Amino acid sequence: MTDATLPIYHLLHEIDVQFDQLVATIERAAVLYASCHPPTWRFCHAPGDPSWLREALLDMWHQQGQDGRETRNYIAVIAANDELINEFHTINHTKSHISDLLTRIKQAEPSALNDVKSRLPRRHPSLNEVLRKSGFARLHLKQCWRHIPIAPAPVSRVRLAWYSSGRSIKRVSVQEAEQKLLQLDSDAPHVRIQLNKLAGIPSNEVLAQVQTQAPLMRANLFFVEPLADGHTRRAHNIAMPLIVPANEGRLPHLKAPSETPPTTRTRAKRRDEKLEDEPFLPSLRIFRYR
């Protein structure tokens, strides 16, 4: 039997083991962080009690009523020594293994994911108590496997800024768009208008369904020395603390962002924008290409 064809109970056992390993590595990193007190900057907070890091790394729960697509963010920059950086790499390695196992479980038996979400916290009484007292509902899989961003080399400067213009674009066919419209109230006048519009374009035309993404924090890293590939800077979207090597035992120069994301677009519109300005099928956020 190959690893790819393991029965579901083997996969569930393996994810139990990996989740235990994740909690243990988070605890080690939190203890080490508290003992070495590395230079730290936190967005809209004073560094304060070092227990904040443990709370951030162990925040893997859905709150009551929370949209499953949303995650809670912990924006910070930590100038870590080699030992602490290695602990963060171990956490990320375990998270990658958990993500892979979740994918395989979903493919093998999708209904088993609900069991995973409820069972894993019960393996750790202290975490289960937090879950019960805080009104959290179940394990949030995205918050469970999302990585901690780690700079690959010493950084001289970090510029943080909101990115509010993100979009996900999915190509759809005319036939797929029609099916999506028919799943709405096909007798409603606004839906009939859109069905008629759709009937008036070539059946082989490719359309684009656009989803506006929530504002996120982007960190632009400027390295002390060029990387092996020659690059001197790199951008990271960050939802978890950014870890940078402690260059001379201090934080890099930081340009902090505004406390709230901008309400209007801050980036110039691309001249090569391929989508029309107005949605072709507003009910589905579907646009035509120019």
Side-chain angles (χ1 to χ4, degrees):
M1 181 181 296
T2 66
D3 185 61
T5 58
L6 286 174
I8 188 66
Y9 67 84
H10 278 188
L11 294 175
L12 291 174
H13 171 72
E14 181 62 18
I15 204 165
D16 286 347
V17 171
Q18 290 301 314
F19 188 78
D20 292 350
Q21 174 71 11
L22 176 61
V23 173
T25 55
I26 287 174
E27 292 287 358
R28 286 202 306 269
V31 169
L32 183 58
Y33 175 83
S35 66
C36 64
H37 299 287
T40 299
W41 171 87
R42 293 178 64 197
F43 178 52
C44 294
H45 292 87
D49 187 336
S51 64
W52 74 268
L53 181 66
R54 179 182 182 275
E55 294 170 2
L57 298 182
L58 287 177
D59 184 0
M60 298 181 284
W61 321 114
H62 273 289
Q63 290 182 340
Q64 294 288 354
Q66 181 183 356
D67 189 324
R69 297 167 297 180
E70 296 178 353
T71 54
R72 290 181 292 282
N73 297 335
Y74 295 90
I75 310 301
V77 180
I78 299 172
N81 60 26
D82 290 345
E83 185 181 7
L84 186 54
I85 287 176
N86 287 337
E87 291 292 350
F88 287 125
H89 277 300
T90 301
I91 290 172
N92 281 348
H93 177 76
T94 308
K95 284 173 173 280
S96 293
H97 200 165
I98 287 174
S99 178
D100 176 64
L101 285 167
L102 289 170
T103 298
R104 291 160 60 195
I105 290 170
K106 184 176 180 180
Q107 292 170 345
E109 190 174 323
S111 61
L113 286 180
N114 287 330
D115 179 50
V116 169
K117 294 175 186 178
S118 61
R119 189 184 71 253
L120 288 180
R122 293 198 296 269
R123 297 177 60 83
H124 299 271
S126 61
L127 300 184
N128 198 44
E129 185 69 6
V130 170
L131 196 68
R132 184 184 65 80
K133 287 185 176 179
S134 303
F136 296 157
R138 62 195 186 283
L139 198 66
H140 191 312
L141 298 183
K142 287 184 179 180
Q143 287 183 200
C144 182
W145 53 250
R146 62 180 177 178
H147 275 204
I148 301 165
I150 304 174
V155 173
S156 62
R157 182 159 54 104
V158 177
R159 187 175 67 215
L160 295 126
W162 290 104
Y163 179 63
S164 303
S165 304
R167 299 185 301 174
S168 63
I169 299 176
K170 178 184 178 182
R171 293 194 169 202
V172 295
S173 67
V174 170
Q175 292 75 22
E176 289 171 332
E178 180 182 27
Q179 289 301 314
K180 290 177 182 291
L181 282 173
L182 290 174
Q183 290 173 9
L184 305 177
D185 182 1
S186 59
D187 292 328
H190 70 285
V191 174
R192 300 306 307 176
I193 291 171
Q194 292 173 88
L195 285 167
N196 289 336
K197 288 176 66 178
L198 195 60
I201 66 174
S203 60
N204 62 349
E205 182 172 338
V206 176
L207 304 170
Q209 187 169 40
V210 177
Q211 176 68 50
T212 301
Q213 296 176 336
L216 52 84
M217 190 68 73
R218 179 166 290 177
N220 286 285
L221 281 58
F222 298 81
F223 297 105
V224 173
E225 300 287 344
L227 300 178
D229 59 11
H231 286 90
T232 60
R233 56 184 290 185
R234 180 176 293 178
H236 282 281
N237 295 335
I238 60 172
M240 297 294 285
L242 169 66
I243 312 304
V244 301
N247 187 31
E248 298 180 356
R250 55 183 173 78
L251 285 166
H253 180 269
L254 292 171
K255 182 180 179 182
S258 60
E259 292 191 6
T260 56
T263 56
T264 57
R265 185 185 181 98
T266 56
R267 300 181 69 193
K269 193 171 183 179
R270 289 170 53 124
R271 290 187 177 182
D272 63 346
E273 176 66 75
K274 295 181 179 180
L275 301 181
E276 292 184 345
D277 292 331
E278 298 297 326
F280 181 62
L281 306 175
S283 296
L284 300 175
R285 306 180 310 282
I286 285 179
F287 291 73
R288 296 182 77 179
Y289 286 93
R290 295 183 190 277

